[in-house]
Amino acid sequence: MPKKNQPNAMPDQSDLHHPDACSCCAMSRRDFIRLAAILGAASALPGGWAHAAESKSDRPLRIGYLPITDSSPLLVAHARKFYEEEGLEVEKPKLFRAWPQLVEAFIAGQVDVIHLLAPTALLIRYGSKFPAKIVAWNHVNGSALTVAPNINDVNDLAGKTVAVPFWFSIHNIILQHLLRQHGLAAVSGVPKDKLKPNEVNLVIMPPPDMVSALANGSIAGYIVAEPFNAAAENLKIGKILRFTGDIWKSHACCVVFMREADLQQRPEWSQAVVNAIVKAQAWIRGNRQGTAQLLAKESGSAYMPHAQAVLERALSHYGTDAYGKQGALQHGDWQQQRIDFQPYPFPSYTAELVRLLKSTHVEGNSEFLNTLDPGFVAGDLVDDRFVRRAIDKVGGAKVFGLPETLTREEILS
């Protein structure tokens, strides 16, 4: 067994089924039921969510994260002491191995700030009515559809199984958008011999299991956050069919999520938290290799269980020379990075996210989606007061390659 706070190494294939290997961005049916129970139990407390979401000022900042590249800004802000520069006392970020554990700790008040899948933020605020908001984006892009070597086109996935990390994820939304473009239908729970010629069976699977499942042929592909796509490449067991950022330009994946009570009752403290995270994003953009070194298991920091070579590939390996010929990157003119870091939560994205989620096949609690108005959610789910000030503090929108107007039009290929 690994020592405490020393998660198992990835992506060595011998470790993929180790009982302590991280579940990362996966949520199984059992996990989903557990999360629903957590949300339901807390909402039934005396005073409802108020008790679970109360703000306390007599303790250090506590950060929760999963060991994926999406969490990099929260971790770099700690490693580079940006929180302290903002006058905050901070504990070492706490690593969680699955979304239900992270969400449970957040709701119970055990951690104050987390990174969270953007569609899951919708589920928590509107499906369960927990008072929390997105205060910034944590990163953009940073995910891909990785497939077996014999898959050369999206149409080759017909009649096969593809793994996704969670129904309420940008991965599921973009994959189903891509399948529809190719005349394919997403289904779940259908035996292989019962699949129609135009159907693709989706299963929820932990990312470490995705890598090994692809290697043994039990799935044809998976769509997930980095560095699990880079891990498959380095292991030479799969290839990237499409980058998600090449389908939805500069889409958010994980967002910075905080309790509404903190935002209302401790605005100066909340501003300091966001300032530190935004400062970290600016630093990462100019220090990609340094970020990989800082977070990798070789550093001894215990932030990540991943090798530096895998993180470097996930943070930097991109471009038409590498991926143009295999069709993984079809929009080189968009001039993006494989994963990038910019904090502003564009309202146009949130509205489009709601529209797309309404037409995406999900299991579990989804009835609340029918009542959501995209325009309302764009203004209600996000509190951008703090991130606007934080962007100004580091030099303005130009630092992140953003328009000064902080507006954009959503582009889906």
Side-chain angles (χ1 to χ4, degrees), residues 20-33:
D20 282 346
C22 66
S23 295
C24 293
C25 49
M27 190 180 291
S28 66
R29 182 186 297 272
R30 182 177 62 183
D31 289 335
F32 188 88
I33 293 172

Side-chain angles (χ1 to χ4, degrees), residues 156-224:
D156 293 340
L157 296 173
K160 295 181 172 61
T161 297
V162 176
V164 298
F166 181 39
W167 295 119
F168 284 86
S169 70
I170 194 66
H171 313 95
N172 185 40
I173 291 171
I174 290 181
L175 174 62
Q176 293 194 34
H177 171 77
L178 183 63
L179 294 178
R180 285 193 297 268
Q181 285 185 318
H182 288 259
L184 300 177
V187 297
S188 60
V190 179
K192 185 176 181 179
D193 60 350
K194 300 293 184 181
L195 285 173
K196 297 178 182 177
N198 71 325
E199 291 181 338
V200 178
N201 188 45
L202 304 188
V203 296
I204 304 298
M205 185 178 291
D209 291 350
M210 291 179 182
V211 180
S212 57
L214 186 66
N216 66 31
S218 59
I219 59 173
Y222 59 78
I223 185 166
V224 75

